[in-house]
Amino acid sequence: MTEVISLMDIDEDESKNIASKPGNSNTVAVVGAPPAARATPWVEKYRPQSLADVAAHRDIVDTIDRLTSENRLPHLLLYGPPGTGKTSTILAVARKLYGSKYQNMILELNASDDRGIDVVRQQIQDFASTQSFSFGAKASVKLVLLDEADAMTKEAQFALRRVIEKYTKSTRFALICNNVNKIIPALQSRCTRFRFAPLDPVHVNERLKHVINAEGLDVSASGLAALVRLSNGDMRKALNILQSTHMASPQITEEAVYLCTGNPLPRDIEQICHWLLNESFAEIFRRISEMNIKKGLALVDIVREVTMFVFKIKMPSDVRVHLINDMADIEYRLTFGCSEKLQLGSLIASFTRARSALVAAAK
């Protein structure tokens, strides 16, 4: 009987020798992992490696690049929505500053995980207090990168303020966050602030075309437009949708993109709006419920898309404002797990009131 050898029971070197022996009946077939390049998420594979590769925000990037070149880099606070290039920018700065010594000169922490005061007192302070490497005739400052710094506790932020003051001569701090209001004023005042706005669709389009060409993908014009639209200025989201759609469908079309993400198609939203403005309460409720079941849609996604469609409908501004406010309330309630049936009734009721106002205005 053939003996089964567990790879956990033998040393790594022995396992290589056993696997390499021809005709060995006791060897175990090891299924190799896919190539690293293929397994790497495209968000990381196509992350900008230099400041010149950053897709947008050239004014911010050029300013930081100039300060870096002149050896006048301040403490930085980069804030804005996700996927807008904050982390990529500061990592590109680190590569420019340190080159091959990059790993030794930077301390990168995710503050949503390492968020307590002990991290500031131990990891950060220990790193900042060590002596810097010397590049040629001058010593280079080290860099502490705190991603998602708005998740840090208030106590940790106050402790970090003191560390920044104490080690300014040898260390620079870069804080990255989505919500700048959660950073205490004492930290904000010690940093130069840069706001990263959502990416322009033009920049998202250009970067996606670069990835599409590099991967040799079959993407239709409508599919590319759908990727840009659903990303909402978030480059990370755009690349994730592109990769997941590619894994699910050989050709990336508009329908494939919406099917992969679970978002309702634009023609479905147009149909829903037609029902909301023309059909009876019971008929609208039945048809939308059937569409949700048949296509696996979430009501919160429908409400968001209908809200955007309302801006295209010709109606008095006061009616539009009331309708949009009602849908914002419905979306808020849905995010907290309220009954979809009740909120669908609220959506239909809001449009019923809007229809009554439109009829009254027409008379």
Side-chain angles (χ1 to χ4, degrees):
M1 182 175 176
T2 303
E3 180 185 359
V4 178
I5 301 175
S6 171
L7 293 182
M8 297 180 64
D9 298 333
I10 56 179
D11 294 332
E12 183 181 358
D13 291 337
E14 284 188 341
S15 65
K16 290 180 180 178
N17 293 333
I18 292 174
S20 63
K21 290 179 182 178
N24 192 337
S25 60
N26 294 335
T27 58
V28 178
V30 181
V31 179
R38 187 177 177 183
T40 304
W42 291 352
V43 171
E44 296 301 328
K45 184 177 179 180
Y46 294 101
R47 183 184 290 276
Q49 297 299 304
S50 67
L51 291 171
D53 295 335
V54 178
H57 306 300
R58 293 313 311 175
D59 51 344
I60 297 175
V61 173
D62 291 342
T63 300
I64 296 176
D65 191 17
R66 187 178 67 253
L67 292 171
T68 304
S69 300
E70 296 173 357
N71 200 27
R72 295 192 296 119
L73 185 68
H75 303 301
L76 298 174
L77 174 57
L78 312 182
Y79 66 98
T84 52
K86 303 183 296 294
T87 303
S88 296
T89 298
I90 197 62
L91 290 177
V93 168
R95 290 188 186 93
K96 178 179 178 179
L97 280 173
Y98 309 124
S100 60
K101 294 185 174 63
Y102 168 85
Q103 296 294 336
N104 296 322
M105 296 296 290
I106 182 172
L107 174 65
E108 185 176 359
L109 297 173
N110 191 311
S112 62
D113 298 325
D114 307 311
R115 60 196 301 266
I117 192 170
D118 291 338
V119 174
V120 177
R121 289 175 173 170
Q122 297 173 12
Q123 295 187 51
I124 297 177
Q125 187 161 345
D126 289 348
F127 177 79
S129 62
T130 57
Q131 187 174 359
S132 299
F133 283 96
S134 182
F135 294 92
K138 62 179 181 180
S140 177
V141 295
K142 298 186 297 294
L143 180 65
V144 175
L145 170 58
L146 289 173
D147 210 346
E148 299 186 37
D150 46 355
M152 293 180 69
T153 63
K154 288 290 188 292
E155 293 80 6
Q157 291 190 43
F158 280 112
L160 180 61
R161 176 195 61 177
R162 176 59 184 148
V163 173
I164 290 176
E165 288 178 347
K166 186 174 181 180
Y167 298 104
T168 293
K169 289 184 178 180
S170 62
T171 309
R172 292 292 177 269
F173 292 81
L175 279 62
I176 299 173
C177 66
N178 300 133
N179 190 351
V180 72
N181 294 326
K182 293 185 178 181
I183 304 297
I184 61 173
L187 274 183
Q188 292 189 40
S189 65
R190 286 163 172 78
C191 301
T192 301
R193 294 169 41 172
F194 292 102
R195 180 179 182 272
F196 283 68
L199 299 182
D200 189 273
V202 174
H203 295 125
V204 178
N205 195 305
E206 290 176 353
R207 191 64 179 172
L208 285 176
K209 285 182 177 178
H210 168 73
V211 176
I212 289 167
N213 292 332
E215 294 291 332
L217 306 180
D218 183 7
V219 183
S220 66
S222 61
L224 180 59
L227 288 167
V228 174
R229 181 174 180 272
L230 291 177
S231 69
N232 291 320
D234 184 338
M235 195 68 236
R236 184 186 296 114
K237 185 177 181 181
L239 288 174
N240 283 333
I241 294 174
L242 176 63
Q243 187 171 16
S244 59
T245 308
H246 168 62
M247 294 170 67
S249 173
Q251 185 180 24
I252 300 175
T253 61
E254 180 185 48
E255 189 164 354
V257 170
Y258 279 96
L259 182 64
C260 185
T261 57
N263 287 77
L265 284 160
R267 62 172 178 266
D268 292 335
I269 296 299
E270 290 181 14
Q271 182 65 70
I272 289 172
C273 288
H274 175 77
W275 293 336
L276 288 168
L277 292 170
N278 296 281
E279 301 291 346
S280 65
F281 186 101
E283 187 66 13
I284 298 169
F285 194 96
R286 181 184 67 80
R287 291 188 175 186
I288 295 180
S289 297
E290 287 179 354
M291 180 180 284
N292 284 359
I293 294 170
K294 182 180 178 181
K295 299 196 173 185
L297 303 177
L299 183 60
V300 66
D301 292 328
I302 291 176
V303 171
R304 287 176 187 146
E305 295 298 326
V306 168
T307 302
M308 300 304 297
F309 195 83
V310 166
F311 286 99
K312 303 177 183 178
I313 303 174
K314 187 176 181 180
M315 63 176 64
S317 59
D318 57 333
V319 177
R320 193 194 315 276
V321 168
H322 284 299
L323 192 54
I324 290 173
N325 286 338
D326 286 346
M327 287 190 288
D329 291 338
I330 293 169
E331 183 180 343
Y332 178 79
R333 292 193 292 269
L334 284 169
T335 57
F336 282 91
C338 292
S339 169
E340 286 204 357
K341 289 185 177 180
L342 290 176
Q343 300 313 313
L344 177 55
S346 297
L347 175 65
I348 300 170
S350 297
F351 270 86
T352 302
R353 289 193 296 271
R355 283 162 58 178
S356 301
L358 290 173
V359 171
K363 293 179 178 179

